């Protein structure tokens, strides 16, 4: 679910029949070409049967379930499909084989930018949400995609220390850690050594003395235990990680905005799901779903072993967003 690179890593879990179907579909129907996007200027569609895509990890499953429930409540017939590879599900979204997916604003903007302009294109995602959304919508529209408004929930890279370490050194922010002059071993993925959102950024933006990157992965149990027992001092995780308390860890605020604006955004196929009905249904989440809420929902699935559909339904009912 997380990314040490500014590019979200998707887990391998998926459904083989779904992948085979999408390989066939995207091989012969990838939507109108970039040179002739007639459907982009056509009126937004409002198909009554919609397929919602999930990327196959807990948070994406939860968001897809909430989208499906809200759309069903608004009178749409919905089905869900799991495809853990953006290289497959994004073309299927363009072609209308998938109608709606939950995405992450800055990550998706950079992905579309690299797809359109090449892997070496300068990134367009930024810590500023408005700038990121303008770039994302500009890249999505020629592909027949509409990006709906972001809400309050954001799943960004984040860095945590042990609570005792934070108290001992008076740390609340990454800026505090930089100012402290402490030597820091960072538990993260091995790509953190060179990625601008990770070790280089911590050094350059915050002046943190990263002496080594311990390649234990992003937000893994091993990485958190290394910080918990003092082997490392800092761990790369995400803002929606609900397990930090169990390890006695606390997040340090990104006070100088090193991380990009990875707010949750629904992305829809304009020709099939670009109408006001879908927008109105999904916009209901914007006023209520917070980063803390999303972390709590993740915890209910990952730690309490509840089904994503049950967790999603309970949350929407508790917030008064479902009629039924």
């Amino acid at each position: 679910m997380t990314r040490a690179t500014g590019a979200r890593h998707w887990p391998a879990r998926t459904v083989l029949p779904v992948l085979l179907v999408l390989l066939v579909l995207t091989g012969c129907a990838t939507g109108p070409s970039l040179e002739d996007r007639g459907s982009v200027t056509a009126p937004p569609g409002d198909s009554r049967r919609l397929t919602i895509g999930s990327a196959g990890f807990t948070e994406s499953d939860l968001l897809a379930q909430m989208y499906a429930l809200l759309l069903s409540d608004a009178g749409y017939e919905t089905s869900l499909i799991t495809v853990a590879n953006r290289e497959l599900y994004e073309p299927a979204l363009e072609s209308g084989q998938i109608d709606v997916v939950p995405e992450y604003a800055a990550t998706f903007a950079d992905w579309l930018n690299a797809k359109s302009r090449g892997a070496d294109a300068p990134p367009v995602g930024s810590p500023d949400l408005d700038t990121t959304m303008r770039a994302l919508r500009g890249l999505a529209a020629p592909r027949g995609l509409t990006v709906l408004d972001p809400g309050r929930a954001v799943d960004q890279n984040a860095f945590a220390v042990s609570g005792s370490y934070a108290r001992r050194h008076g740390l609340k922010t990454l800026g505090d850690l930089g100012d402290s002059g402490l030597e820091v071993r960072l538990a993260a993925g091995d790509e953190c050594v060179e990625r601008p959102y990770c070790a280089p950024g911590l050094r350059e933006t915050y002046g943190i003395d990263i002496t080594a990157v311990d390649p234990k992965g992003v937000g893994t149990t091993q990485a958190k235990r290394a910080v918990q027992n003092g082997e490392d001092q800092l761990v790369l995780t995400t803002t929606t990680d609900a397990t930090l308390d169990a390890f006695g860890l606390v997040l340090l605020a990104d006070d100088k905005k090193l991380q990009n604006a990875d707010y949750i955004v629904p992305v829809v196929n304009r020709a099939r799901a670009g109408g006001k009905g879908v927008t109105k249904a999904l916009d209901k989440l914007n006023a209520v779903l917070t980063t803390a809420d999303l972390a709590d929902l993740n915890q209910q699935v990952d730690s309490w072993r509840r089904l994503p559909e049950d967790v999603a339904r309970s949350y929407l009912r508790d917030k008064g967003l479902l009629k039924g």
Side-chain angles (χ1 to χ4, degrees), residues 62-86:
L62 282 163
L63 291 164
Q65 290 285 355
M66 285 192 277
Y67 291 179
L69 289 165
L70 289 168
L71 289 167
S72 295
D73 202 51
Y76 294 88
E77 182 179 333
T78 64
S79 59
L80 280 84
I81 192 170
T82 299
V83 186
N85 186 325
R86 190 185 275 122

Side-chain angles (χ1 to χ4, degrees), residues 28-323:
C28 62
T30 56
S33 69
L34 286 175
E35 291 77 22
D36 183 17
R37 295 282 179 169
S39 63
V40 174
T41 57
D46 192 28
S47 173
R48 307 312 293 177
R49 293 185 178 184
L50 299 174
T51 300
I52 294 89
S54 165
F57 58 90
T58 296
E59 188 167 288
S60 187
D61 287 345
L62 282 163
L63 291 164
Q65 290 285 355
M66 285 192 277
Y67 291 179
L69 289 165
L70 289 168
L71 289 167
S72 295
D73 202 51
Y76 294 88
E77 182 179 333
T78 64
S79 59
L80 280 84
I81 192 170
T82 299
V83 186
N85 186 325
R86 190 185 275 122
E87 283 76 10
L88 288 175
Y89 78 66
E90 190 277 333
L93 182 63
E94 288 187 33
S95 67
Q97 306 301 326
I98 295 175
D99 303 305
V100 185
V101 295
E103 265 292 358
Y104 300 86
T107 293
F108 196 45
D110 284 338
W111 192 87
L112 288 178
N113 186 52
K115 182 176 180 178
S116 299
R117 300 167 182 163
D120 295 331
V124 295
S126 83
D128 182 75
L129 179 58
D130 290 340
T131 299
T132 297
M133 287 299 294
R134 281 195 299 271
L136 174 55
R137 283 171 166 154
L139 288 160
R143 296 184 175 277
L145 306 179
T146 296
V147 182
L148 305 188
D149 288 342
R152 301 161 62 190
V154 57
D155 184 354
Q156 295 171 309
N157 286 341
F159 297 89
V161 298
S162 70
S164 59
Y165 184 84
R167 289 189 295 273
R168 185 162 64 251
H169 297 291
L171 307 177
K172 293 184 178 180
T173 69
L174 289 170
D176 292 338
L177 183 56
D179 291 341
S180 73
L182 294 164
E183 293 186 346
V184 173
R185 278 175 53 91
L186 169 61
D190 53 8
E191 66 275 350
C192 179
V193 171
E194 60 185 21
R195 299 301 184 180
Y197 305 99
C198 204
L202 292 175
R203 292 188 182 104
E204 294 167 14
T205 301
Y206 285 105
I208 297 173
D209 185 7
I210 304 294
T211 60
V213 174
D214 188 2
K216 285 184 164 61
V218 181
T220 63
T221 297
Q222 293 84 352
K224 292 171 189 172
R225 283 179 178 162
V227 173
Q228 183 182 38
N229 65 29
E231 177 184 351
D232 298 328
Q233 290 74 47
L234 191 66
V235 61
L236 171 62
T237 183
T238 69
T239 53
T240 60
D241 187 337
T243 67
L244 296 177
D245 285 348
F247 295 91
L249 306 182
V250 294
L251 291 179
L252 296 182
D254 182 19
D255 50 317
K256 296 183 181 178
K257 297 188 182 299
L258 172 63
Q259 303 304 321
N260 281 345
D262 257 334
Y263 284 74
I264 310 298
V265 289
V267 182
V268 305
N269 178 285
R270 174 185 168 89
R272 289 183 48 79
K276 293 181 179 179
V278 169
T279 299
K280 182 178 179 181
L282 298 183
D283 273 354
K284 291 181 179 180
L285 266 183
N286 287 355
V288 297
L289 183 66
T290 65
T291 303
D293 288 345
L294 201 49
D296 179 67
L297 298 178
N298 287 335
Q299 182 180 41
Q300 291 183 48
V301 175
D302 289 338
S303 299
W304 305 354
R305 302 303 180 191
R306 294 186 64 195
L307 294 175
E309 182 178 5
D310 294 339
V311 173
R313 181 178 285 106
S314 295
Y315 178 79
L316 294 177
R317 283 179 173 167
D318 289 346
K319 297 297 183 179
L321 299 185
L322 293 182
K323 291 180 283 190

